[in-house]
Amino acid sequence: MRQIYFLCTGNSCRSQMAEGFAKQMLGPAWRVASAGLRQDGLNPLAVKVMAERGIDISKQYSKLIDLQYLRSSDLVITLCGDARDHCPVVPATVRRQHWPLPDPAAATGTAEEILLAFRKVRDEIAQRMTALAETAG
């Protein structure tokens, strides 16, 4: 079974959304997980915007990086510069990708503007996951 790991700073938004899309798009041939450099808790707006796409991530939770899972992954995807720069070293056999996405939790403005920031990041992750799923087999 192939294994993918999504990493972000707090494992609250971007990596959680990526995990949700990957579970839906990659299917049972893949083990899918996400984690962070710290545990900031699952952001309720990430849950809300994923539900708009029919994906329930409400049972997911914020986790710290598991070194064993990391080192046994086929693909590690970082979703922010902090995770990319501070990710523990992985064996040469682990493929790495970086998806530099803005942190929607840092968005400011009205409630609707903040929700729009979450939707934009969600849609970018969906596009990247669709492309990945098409090549992942």
Side-chain angles (χ1 to χ4, degrees):
M1 179 175 289
R2 295 167 76 188
Q3 187 167 291
I4 189 168
Y5 212 10
F6 296 97
L7 303 179
C8 212
T9 303
N11 191 219
S12 66
C13 303
R14 294 165 285 186
S15 52
Q16 295 284 354
M17 290 190 279
E19 179 181 346
F21 278 120
K23 285 178 177 175
Q24 181 191 58
M25 294 179 184
L26 294 177
W30 284 81
R31 286 181 63 204
V32 177
S34 69
L37 300 171
R38 61 177 193 258
Q39 295 171 278
D40 287 352
L42 180 60
N43 189 301
L45 291 178
V47 174
K48 178 182 175 88
V49 299
M50 290 299 286
E52 292 173 355
R53 296 287 293 264
I55 300 172
D56 181 8
I57 64 169
S58 65
K59 303 284 188 276
Q60 292 177 199
Y61 59 95
S62 189
K63 302 164 289 302
L64 290 175
I65 296 172
D66 176 325
L67 293 178
Q68 184 176 346
Y69 190 96
L70 176 74
R71 292 181 180 132
S72 64
S73 292
D74 296 286
L75 177 59
V76 172
I77 298 175
T78 53
L79 293 108
C80 66
D82 196 32
R84 178 199 60 211
D85 297 343
H86 296 98
C87 179
V89 174
V90 295
T93 56
V94 177
R95 217 172 85 224
R96 289 181 68 162
Q97 287 185 15
H98 179 60
W99 296 354
L101 300 170
D103 183 0
T108 59
T110 66
E112 188 55 38
E113 289 168 334
I114 293 169
L115 198 54
L116 180 61
F118 273 82
R119 288 178 178 133
K120 286 178 73 172
V121 170
R122 175 205 60 201
D123 294 346
E124 175 74 18
I125 292 169
Q127 289 177 337
R128 289 174 181 264
M129 271 310 309
T130 299
L132 180 67
E134 288 172 357
T135 62

